[in-house]
Every structure is written in C-alpha cells, then in structure tokens.
Amino acid sequence: MGDQNPPATPAPFDAHAFLRTVPDAPGVYRMVGSDEQVLYVGKAKNLKRRVSSYFRTRQSSPRIAMMVERIVRVDITPTRSEAEALILENNLIKSLSPRYNILFRDDKSYPYVELSGDEFPRLAFHRGAFARGARYFGPFPSAYAVRESIQLLQKTFRLRTCENSVFQNRSRPCLLAQIKRCSAPCVAEIDRDAYGADVRLASRFLDGQASEVIDDLGEHMQAAAGRLAFEEAAVFRDRIRVLQTVLHRQFADSRRDEDVDIIASVEASGLVCVNIAMVRGGRHLGDRPQFPSGAVVVDAGDGLVAFIEQHYAVHPLPSRLLVALDPGPVREALSEISEHPPLLVRPRHAAEKAWMEMAEKNARSAIEARLRDASRAGERLHALHEALDLPEVPMRIECFDISHTMGEATVASCVVYVNGVMRHGEYRRYNIDGITPGDDFAAMSQALERRYARVADGEGICPDLILIDGGQGQVGAALATLSELGLDAVNIVGVAKGEGRKPGLETLVFPDGRESMTLGGQSPALHLVIEIRDEAHRFAITGHRARRSKTRFGSKLEDIPGVGPARRRALLSAFGGLDGVRAAAIEDLCRVDGVNRKLAEQIYSALH
C-alpha cells in the first residue's frame, strides 16, 4: 500500500517572535501565504510599527482579517529612505500582482497649469514629468478645470500661451494680442519688468491668494486714476471685474481662500468608487471618480485608505482633508506619508456638507454609469458570441488595419479590446517594410507575424478573436500566417466595407469557407465590431500620416547641400517642426545658427 499519511500542515505564523526581529526603519514588507503566494505588498517609514499593526486583536477591516489568517511568512526589505520604499513597492506590486492589494490605476496623470522658466514665461496645460525651472500649479481634477483656469488667466493677466518656436519668430502681434488675450511680449509691446509683474500676480492667484490679488489690482487702479492715467486705470478695472465675476460664481460654497480635498468613498452594487473633489483658493474645481482593482474584498473604508496612501504619495497634500467615514484609519495612513499631515475633519458646516453630498452623489453616478457600460458591453459581447457562433464569449479582441498612400509609408495598427474596454496602453503600430508597395496581403501577414511570434513561443496573451479590416484576401493572408505560427485555432473574422462604404452595411468574412454574413445596422454585435474596427483605422491612419510626413519632408531637407544633421536639428528646433520650417521666410531662416543668407535661399527654394 502507498503512503496514507496526509501532508503536513504548516505551523502557524508566530507574529510575536517575528516582530522582535523587525527594525525601526523605512522599507517594504511582503505578506506570504501558502505555496509561496504573495498576498500583500506594502511600504512603511517604520517597518516595526507598520507590520505590528496587522497583528492586533481587532483588525481594521474584514479584508485585512482574511489576509492575516492566510499569512505563513512575512518578508521585509529595509531601505535607506521612504522614497526608495515607494519605488520598490510599486515595482513589486507590478511584478507580483498581490491578491489583497487595492490598486487605483488611472489612464492619465493629473493635469497641471505650467508657468515656464523663460524670460517671458509661457502659460500652458501640462501633464507628465516636471521640467526644471518651470513652476507647476495643481493638480487639477480634470483637463477642463485647467483650461478654464488658463482662459481666466489669459483674460486677466494676458500671459502668452504660444510655443517658444512661434514666440521667437513673430514679427507682428498674433490674433490673441488683438483680442486682448496676450500682451504681445514677442514684439516688445510690453517690457520684461511689466510682464514679470503680471506673472507674479498670476502665480499668487494660482496659489490661492485671489482676494489679495484683487486688492493689489485695486491699489494699482487708484494710483493710475490719481495720475489721471484713466486708460491704464480702466485696464485694472476690467481685470478686477473678471476676477470678481469668477470668484462670485465659485465662492458660492466657500468664503475663504482655502485648499481642501473632499474625498468620498461609496460602496454600491458590489462596486467601490472613491471620488476626489478639489477646492483651491476657495474655488471648487470639480471632481474625479476612481475605481480600485486587484483586491478580493473591498469596502468603502478600505478603498478610502488605499486611495489616500497612493494618491498623496505622489501629489501634494492640501491644508485640509474632508472625509465622511471614520477618520482614524485615514489619519494613520497620513502619518505614514507626511510628518505634518493636513487637518483631517468630517463635514461640519453647511458648505462642507454640501461639498461632501456633491462628491458622494457623483461617486454613485459613476458607479451607475460603470454598471450601465458593463451591462451594455456584456450585451454586445454576448450578441457577437451568438452571431459568430463562437465556442465562448470573446473577452479579448484584437483588430488589425493597414494604412498607406499608394504603397508609401505603410503602417499596420493593432488595437486591443478587453472585457468591454479599449486598452489603449496595449495598442501597437508596425512600420511595414520589405514588401511590394501596395501589397495589403503581405503587409497584413508581416503585422500578424510580428504581433504573434512571441505568443507562439509562449509569451504574451493570445486573443479570443482577431478582427481584420478587409475582405477575403486579407483574411486568407492572416489565416496563413497564424497557421505557420501554430495559432490557426484562433478565431478570425474579416470586416469588409459595405456598399458605398456606409456604416451598418459591413460584411463579416470567415476563413473556413462559411458564407459571408451581414448583420444589419441595428445589431449590437455589429456596433461593437464597427467601434473596434474604426479605432484600428484611426490608429493606423494617424501613424501613417506621421510616417509619410517625416519621410517626404525629411528627405527634402536631407537632399539640400549644406544642410547636415546639426543644421537640420537646429532648423526643426527653431521653428517647432517640419511645417514651421516650410512656413518660414528667408529672413526667418537666416536667424538660425549656422544658416547664412545663401543657404537660407537654397532651403527656401528647395521647399517651395
């Protein structure tokens, strides 16, 4: 008889013995379960204090209690600083995908208002990494809030918004200067000191000192009137009126210049939404809902704490933080982020209660919208499953399209649709070379081979359905390529344009000899196919136009005698790109370093 002894049960985790070995230092900890599965990854500025909190008699939430029951080991990695701990935590979460981590992922970073570090600073919309020398104000909850602020600053302080390449090559005021939205420093209609004064006022306004800015403008207006400079006084009067109009509209909820973040966490229909609303300088700038992912059990409290830990690890803290749930866990999370956490309060007076009600209402609306979208996406996927007679519902769909101009600058696109959502981060473009120009079949084969060679080797993700923008020829080429890779079992469907290329008349083409199918304009399955196909077409044609423009115009510059790589870079930098060089006059070209008048005339002649 074989061995009948059951497998040994792992010994329970001895938390007290382990905690005696944990240092009082910043670092990262990993909760490990059976089978070496990482349950949770976290960071701490004090590992002993943070890890000890998980082994109290009472846990802060059912999710944490469930996780602690499964711990068989805790691994720690001390670091030299909290910043190192943050980087290591992010890397581990991405590579390990722990089951109990709540992650808030957003497609885009928060936008900011930027004031560049130039002699005449430029006012601009900014998203992404910060540049040295520039000043950034924010974050703002939406691009709309940034653009509204920029328009207000243009009306009031008339700061330039043009690119440096345009600013450095102006010979007369632009349209914005003519409609009093820019003071035209490009043509010296305002000197550096006066422009700098306007920049300082705009900076103070963005810093939340709106009332003080209005008071200063009032003093300037009175001083100008005292000198009998009534036109100058009228300019200050108009600026004051613009600011007061905005403040009267925005101060409906607040009578103080204050920075407050209102964070509402709402749980409904099995979903949790955390909505952050931002008040800066007393102005309510709008809100932004976000949904967590990557956790087994999430409630509103867990979501709130996780969001605060992740959001304020990379964004500045306001002076006050408004929450409706138990502030205890939030206060503990903030203490890990900052030695001087903001004032944490629950809604008290009417304005704060109104802010919180608005944030919670918008969170519920976001949940309802997500449920509607999920239901609609599910209906369309099931309709596609039935229409195409697929073995199962296609949860991952990839679509290919080819774009070129008479065979020139051929580009293939691949877009990805997963669980009802377009995954923009997984889109890919392929520059197609080494084929007969205009051979769409060869282009499609090359694109699919480059896309799925790694999948055939066991890397990457294999889709449930591949859509091909084209008819029987493209579908046949795609099937032949996938067969060579050993992926001929993947479902392939071609989407051929209908009569007159009208939407709703598309024909679906199959590679297995089945008769082509027309679903009709009212079919939800066809609506989904068209949506994905159109996205692939948009992505392909955008890449093709960029490649064609670079090829056509770049070759013209390269063919001009005396224009080497260094001068090409200088020209493109001075005029902001290819179109700017083409639009430049001979006198403008002469101002570029290394370009004399003779060479400028040669460049101008070659491009015209």
Side-chain angles (χ1 to χ4, degrees), residues 320-341:
R320 285 201 303 140
L321 203 60
L322 205 63
V323 297
L325 302 177
D326 178 14
V330 175
R331 188 172 288 110
E332 184 177 340
L334 289 172
S335 68
E336 290 286 335
I337 298 169
S338 172
E339 295 181 358
H340 305 286

Side-chain angles (χ1 to χ4, degrees), residues 8 31 99 233 245 416-417 454 582:
M31 308 297 194
R99 188 181 183 193
T245 299
V416 181
Y417 180 88
R454 291 177 65 249
R582 184 185 287 113

Side-chain angles (χ1 to χ4, degrees), residues 384 388 390 394 396-401 413-415 444 448 451-452 455 461-469 474-475 478-479 481-482 485 487-495 509-511 529 532:
L384 185 62
L388 301 182
L390 299 173
R396 182 183 182 91
I397 303 173
E398 298 187 0
C399 182
F400 290 81
D401 188 23
S413 71
C414 173
V415 301
M444 185 64 70
L448 267 70
R451 175 69 175 177
Y452 296 119
V455 175
I461 304 174
C462 187
D464 302 313
L465 174 65
I466 296 176
L467 297 178
I468 304 295
D469 185 16
Q474 284 90 340
V475 171
L479 179 62
T481 302
L482 292 176
L485 295 172
L487 299 175
D488 49 325
V490 180
N491 298 293
I492 307 173
V493 175
V495 187
V509 180
F510 303 95
V529 169
I532 299 173

Side-chain angles (χ1 to χ4, degrees), residues 174-498:
C174 65
L175 179 61
L176 286 174
Q178 296 175 35
I179 62 174
K180 308 300 182 185
R181 294 293 183 270
C182 178
S183 52
C186 55
V187 291
E189 290 198 0
I190 185 173
D191 61 36
R192 183 171 60 182
D193 292 339
Y195 189 86
D198 288 339
V199 170
R200 287 190 291 274
L201 286 173
S203 300
R204 291 173 61 194
F205 178 81
L206 288 169
D207 278 331
Q209 303 175 31
S211 298
E212 291 87 341
V213 170
I214 290 176
D215 292 341
D216 286 353
L217 291 173
E219 292 176 3
H220 290 313
M221 181 181 68
Q222 295 297 335
R227 300 193 310 270
L228 304 182
F230 297 116
E231 290 186 3
E232 182 182 347
V235 171
F236 289 116
R237 178 204 62 199
D238 293 342
R239 292 185 178 187
I240 292 170
R241 286 179 177 175
V242 170
L243 289 181
Q244 286 179 335
T245 299
V246 173
L247 292 180
H248 287 162
R249 185 181 77 228
Q250 296 282 10
F251 270 102
D253 296 329
S254 176
R255 300 192 178 278
R256 294 182 295 172
D257 293 354
E258 56 185 346
D259 291 351
V260 186
D261 280 357
I262 305 98
I263 305 181
S265 184
V266 174
E267 181 181 4
S269 302
L271 293 177
V272 170
C273 177
V274 177
N275 189 41
I276 178 170
M278 299 178 181
V279 174
R280 295 294 181 268
R283 296 191 305 140
H284 196 294
L285 299 176
D287 55 1
R288 185 172 186 169
Q290 296 193 44
F291 292 88
S293 63
V296 176
V297 179
V298 181
D299 60 22
D302 286 342
L304 177 66
V305 173
F307 174 81
I308 286 173
E309 287 178 335
Q310 295 169 44
H311 178 78
Y312 293 113
V314 293
H315 295 292
L317 285 159
S319 56
R320 285 201 303 140
L321 203 60
L322 205 63
V323 297
L325 302 177
D326 178 14
V330 175
R331 188 172 288 110
E332 184 177 340
L334 289 172
S335 68
E336 290 286 335
I337 298 169
S338 172
E339 295 181 358
H340 305 286
L343 180 63
L344 184 64
V345 295
R346 285 185 171 185
R348 298 166 298 178
H349 52 72
E352 291 178 347
K353 291 178 180 178
W355 283 338
M356 184 57 70
E357 288 176 5
M358 188 188 310
E360 290 177 342
K361 180 179 179 182
N362 289 342
R364 292 191 180 91
S365 298
I367 290 175
E368 292 173 2
R370 172 161 286 206
L371 290 172
R372 284 197 303 270
D373 290 344
S375 175
R376 177 169 171 263
E379 290 174 0
R380 297 200 301 179
L381 283 170
H382 281 284
L384 185 62
H385 168 232
E386 294 178 0
L388 301 182
D389 193 23
L390 299 173
E392 57 186 20
V393 176
M395 303 309 295
R396 182 183 182 91
I397 303 173
E398 298 187 0
C399 182
F400 290 81
D401 188 23
I402 306 294
S403 182
H404 58 82
T405 302
M406 302 294 290
E408 178 189 3
T410 303
V411 172
S413 71
C414 173
V415 301
V416 181
Y417 180 88
V418 180
N419 294 333
V421 179
M422 301 301 303
R423 292 286 185 90
H424 299 276
E426 299 184 36
Y427 288 12
R428 294 294 182 271
R429 288 194 187 100
Y430 302 95
N431 290 334
I432 305 299
D433 296 304
I435 65 171
T436 302
D439 188 346
D440 286 355
F441 304 157
M444 185 64 70
S445 294
Q446 186 178 132
L448 267 70
E449 182 179 1
R450 291 166 63 180
R451 175 69 175 177
Y452 296 119
R454 291 177 65 249
V455 175
D457 291 336
E459 303 176 17
I461 304 174
C462 187
D464 302 313
L465 174 65
I466 296 176
L467 297 178
I468 304 295
D469 185 16
Q472 194 67 55
Q474 284 90 340
V475 171
L479 179 62
T481 302
L482 292 176
S483 296
E484 291 177 6
L485 295 172
L487 299 175
D488 49 325
V490 180
N491 298 293
I492 307 173
V493 175
V495 187
K497 297 177 179 64

Side-chain angles (χ1 to χ4, degrees), residues 169 571 575 578-590 592 600 603-604 607-608:
N169 293 283
L571 286 164
F575 297 102
L578 309 176
D579 292 337
V581 181
R582 184 185 287 113
I586 293 175
E587 290 74 14
D588 297 330
L589 295 170
C590 288
V592 177
I603 295 171
Y604 187 87
L607 300 181
H608 295 83

Side-chain angles (χ1 to χ4, degrees), residues 9-268:
T9 302
F13 178 63
D14 189 347
H16 295 291
F18 169 74
L19 291 173
R20 286 195 292 268
T21 68
V22 179
D24 291 303
V28 171
Y29 55 92
R30 297 177 295 284
M31 308 297 194
V32 183
S34 58
D35 301 325
E36 294 297 310
Q37 179 189 19
V38 177
L39 304 173
Y40 185 83
V41 174
K43 68 179 184 307
K45 65 181 180 182
N46 186 308
L47 283 168
K48 180 180 281 291
R49 187 169 65 239
R50 183 68 166 175
V51 175
S52 298
S53 68
Y54 288 94
F55 301 100
R56 297 169 180 163
T57 305
R58 294 184 59 189
Q59 299 298 336
S60 59
S61 72
R63 179 179 65 93
I64 296 298
M66 185 183 301
M67 179 192 71
V68 170
E69 290 177 358
R70 288 163 170 74
I71 294 174
V72 299
R73 190 179 80 248
V74 178
D75 295 336
I76 62 170
T77 305
T79 58
R80 293 175 296 179
S81 66
E82 295 176 52
E84 283 187 359
L86 174 63
I87 295 171
L88 180 57
E89 181 200 35
N90 287 335
N91 291 338
L92 288 173
I93 289 175
K94 288 178 182 177
S95 61
L96 300 174
S97 301
R99 188 181 183 193
Y100 287 89
N101 276 90
I102 302 174
L103 302 179
F104 283 87
R105 296 194 181 99
D106 214 347
D107 291 335
K108 298 179 180 177
S109 60
Y110 284 83
Y112 287 76
V113 172
E114 175 188 6
L115 274 174
S116 69
D118 301 303
E119 180 182 9
F120 291 93
R122 172 183 177 239
L123 183 68
F125 176 101
H126 178 83
R127 200 192 293 273
F130 291 169
R132 183 176 298 178
R135 290 194 64 191
Y136 297 92
F137 303 88
F140 288 76
S142 65
Y144 172 79
V146 174
R147 294 192 174 98
E148 185 182 44
S149 296
I150 289 175
Q151 290 174 3
L152 169 62
L153 294 171
Q154 283 182 290
K155 289 180 182 179
T156 310
F157 305 109
R158 298 173 63 185
L159 303 184
R160 74 176 181 97
T161 56
C162 57
E163 298 279 354
N164 284 346
S165 57
V166 176
F167 175 77
Q168 293 164 0
N169 293 283
R170 293 294 307 181
S171 57
R172 59 181 181 178
C174 65
L175 179 61
L176 286 174
Q178 296 175 35
I179 62 174
K180 308 300 182 185
R181 294 293 183 270
C182 178
S183 52
C186 55
V187 291
E189 290 198 0
I190 185 173
D191 61 36
R192 183 171 60 182
D193 292 339
Y195 189 86
D198 288 339
V199 170
R200 287 190 291 274
L201 286 173
S203 300
R204 291 173 61 194
F205 178 81
L206 288 169
D207 278 331
Q209 303 175 31
S211 298
E212 291 87 341
V213 170
I214 290 176
D215 292 341
D216 286 353
L217 291 173
E219 292 176 3
H220 290 313
M221 181 181 68
Q222 295 297 335
R227 300 193 310 270
L228 304 182
F230 297 116
E231 290 186 3
E232 182 182 347
V235 171
F236 289 116
R237 178 204 62 199
D238 293 342
R239 292 185 178 187
I240 292 170
R241 286 179 177 175
V242 170
L243 289 181
Q244 286 179 335
T245 299
V246 173
L247 292 180
H248 287 162
R249 185 181 77 228
Q250 296 282 10
F251 270 102
D253 296 329
S254 176
R255 300 192 178 278
R256 294 182 295 172
D257 293 354
E258 56 185 346
D259 291 351
V260 186
D261 280 357
I262 305 98
I263 305 181
S265 184
V266 174
E267 181 181 4

